[in-house]
Amino acid sequence: MFSFSLAGKNAWITGASYGIGFNIAKAFAAAGIDNIIFNDINQDLVNRGLAAYKEAGIENVHGYVCDVTDENAVKTLVEKIHAEVGPIHILVNNAGIIKRIPMHEMKRAEFQQVIDIDLVGPFICSSAVLPEMMERRAGKIINICSMMSELGRETVSAYAAAKGGLKMLTRNICSEYGEYNIQCNGIGPGYIATPQTAPLRERQADGSRHPFDSFIVAKTPAGRWLEPEELGGPAVFLASSASDAVNGHVLYVDGGILAYIGKQPK
Ligand code: NAP
Ligand code: GCO
C-alpha cells in the first residue's frame, strides 16, 4: 500500500537555503520527514537558511557548507551526514545557477560554470549517495530540471544544455539503478517567482511590467507566475512510496506552459 508520508526518512536537498529547495524542504517537513539536510556554498547562506527554517517552525534541519561541484567536499559531507544525522533516503539535486548571455558573447568559463553546477553537481551528489541506496536496495533521487530541459530560448544556451543533460542523466540513473529499487525522477518547474527569476520580473522605469514577465504570463494558461510552494506536492509525491513505480520521468510543474501555444494577441 502506498503512502505520501515521509516519516522515517532523511532528505538531503542541495542549495536549499531559500527558493525552490527551501519550499520543497517545507513540504517534506509537512509530510513528516525525520530530518532535512541542506547545503549551500557559504556559512552566511547556511545560517540564513537555518534561521528561515526555524522561523517556519521546522526544527529537524541540518545545514552544511558544501559546493556541489567539489567532489571531495561532497564525499566528506556525505560521510558527515551519515555520522551526524543518519542515512540519506532522498536526494534532491536542486542547487543551480543560470547565466543569461547571448551564446556568441558567452565565455567558455561562463558556459562551463553553469554546466558544472547544474549538471556535474547532480552527477557528483548522486554518485555519492548511490552506494548506500544500492546497499539498502531503496532510494529516491529527484533532479530539478526546467522548461529548458525541453525548450530553448535566447541567452540561456549553457543552462538549456545543462538542464537537457540533467533530463537524460535522470533517465540514465533510472536505467542503471532501477534494479536496486532506486527511483530517479525529475521535476520540471515552469516559471517560478524566486530570486533566480527576479531579473525577469523587475518593473520597468515607467512602472510597466518587464517584457519577459508579460511574455511568461501570456505563455502560461493560468496567466501567472507560479509560486515555489506549488512544487512541494509534486516533490512529496516523487519522494514518497506513492511513486515507487514511477522512474525516469520528468514531472513538469509548469501550469501548462509546455501544452500551450500562448495567449493570442487581442
Ligand atoms: P535560486 O533562488 O538561485 O537558489 C539556488 C540555490 O542553489 C541557492 O541557494 C544557491 O546559492 C545554491 N547554489 C548555487 N550554486 C551552488 C553550488 N555550487 N553549490 C551549492 N549550492 C549552490 O534558484 P531557484 O529559483 O530556487 O532554483 C532552484 C533550482 O530550480 C535550480 O536548479 C534552478 O535551475 C531550477 N529551476 C528554477 C526555476 C525558476 O523559475 N525559479 C524554474 C525551473 C528550474 P547562492 O545563493 O550562493 O547562489
Ligand atoms: C529563464 C528562466 C528559466 C527558469 C526555468 C524555467 O531565464 O528563462 O530563468 O530558465 O529559471 O528554468 O523552467
Side-chain angles (χ1 to χ4, degrees):
M1 182 61 182
F2 75 85
S3 167
F4 291 110
S5 169
L6 300 180
K9 299 293 191 301
N10 300 323
W12 172 25
I13 308 169
T14 66
S17 296
Y18 58 88
I20 287 174
F22 177 80
N23 282 276
I24 287 176
K26 283 202 297 185
F28 284 6
I33 195 101
D34 277 15
N35 289 287
I36 293 287
I37 302 139
F38 77 98
N39 65 293
D40 225 308
I41 53 177
N42 62 53
Q43 194 60 52
D44 287 347
L45 274 172
V46 170
N47 293 342
R48 168 179 161 187
L50 289 170
Y53 284 110
K54 190 172 177 66
E55 189 179 341
I58 302 170
E59 301 291 342
N60 53 336
V61 181
H62 312 262
Y64 298 93
V65 176
C66 181
D67 178 342
V68 295
T69 67
D70 182 338
E71 194 168 11
N72 291 329
V74 168
K75 284 179 179 170
T76 301
L77 173 58
V78 169
E79 289 165 5
K80 200 167 188 178
I81 291 169
H82 288 159
E84 296 178 2
V85 183
I88 299 168
H89 303 96
I90 303 156
L91 167 64
V92 181
N93 285 306
N94 166 76
I97 67 166
I98 191 167
K99 288 186 182 297
R100 302 182 181 98
I101 305 167
M103 184 170 150
H104 68 285
E105 296 172 5
M106 183 179 270
K107 295 180 177 59
R108 187 199 188 288
E110 291 168 322
F111 187 93
Q112 190 67 54
Q113 186 187 12
V114 176
I115 297 290
D116 284 348
I117 294 169
D118 294 9
L119 180 57
V120 179
F123 158 75
I124 289 172
C125 295
S126 301
S127 300
V129 302
L130 278 168
E132 75 171 276
M133 291 183 173
M134 292 164 73
E135 188 178 338
R136 187 171 56 233
R137 300 196 73 80
K140 298 282 188 180
I141 297 175
I142 301 170
N143 293 321
I144 306 300
C145 297
S146 162
M147 293 286 92
M148 274 60 227
S149 297
E150 300 293 343
L151 303 170
R153 82 172 185 85
E154 300 80 4
T155 76
V156 297
S157 59
Y159 185 82
K163 293 297 188 180
L166 187 56
K167 174 177 74 173
M168 285 314 301
L169 182 66
T170 300
R171 290 179 176 167
N172 214 75
I173 293 171
C174 152
S175 305
E176 193 165 1
Y177 297 97
E179 68 177 290
Y180 295 95
N181 187 33
I182 295 168
Q183 291 83 46
C184 180
N185 292 288
I187 288 178
Y191 279 81
I192 316 295
T194 71
Q196 192 238 48
T197 56
L200 305 174
R201 291 177 279 109
E202 280 172 0
R203 286 284 172 179
Q204 305 299 282
D206 63 4
S208 62
R209 297 180 83 146
H210 189 293
F212 196 88
D213 179 355
S214 306
F215 169 69
I216 287 304
V217 167
K219 288 288 282 182
T220 308
R224 64 177 176 86
W225 287 72
L226 303 182
E227 295 301 325
E229 292 82 357
E230 295 181 279
L231 296 165
V236 167
F237 166 63
L238 291 177
S240 71
S241 64
S243 63
D244 283 355
V246 179
N247 212 345
H249 182 74
V250 178
L251 177 55
Y252 286 99
V253 185
D254 65 354
I257 291 176
L258 288 178
Y260 187 37
I261 196 170
K263 187 169 289 302
Q264 301 169 50
K266 285 192 171 43

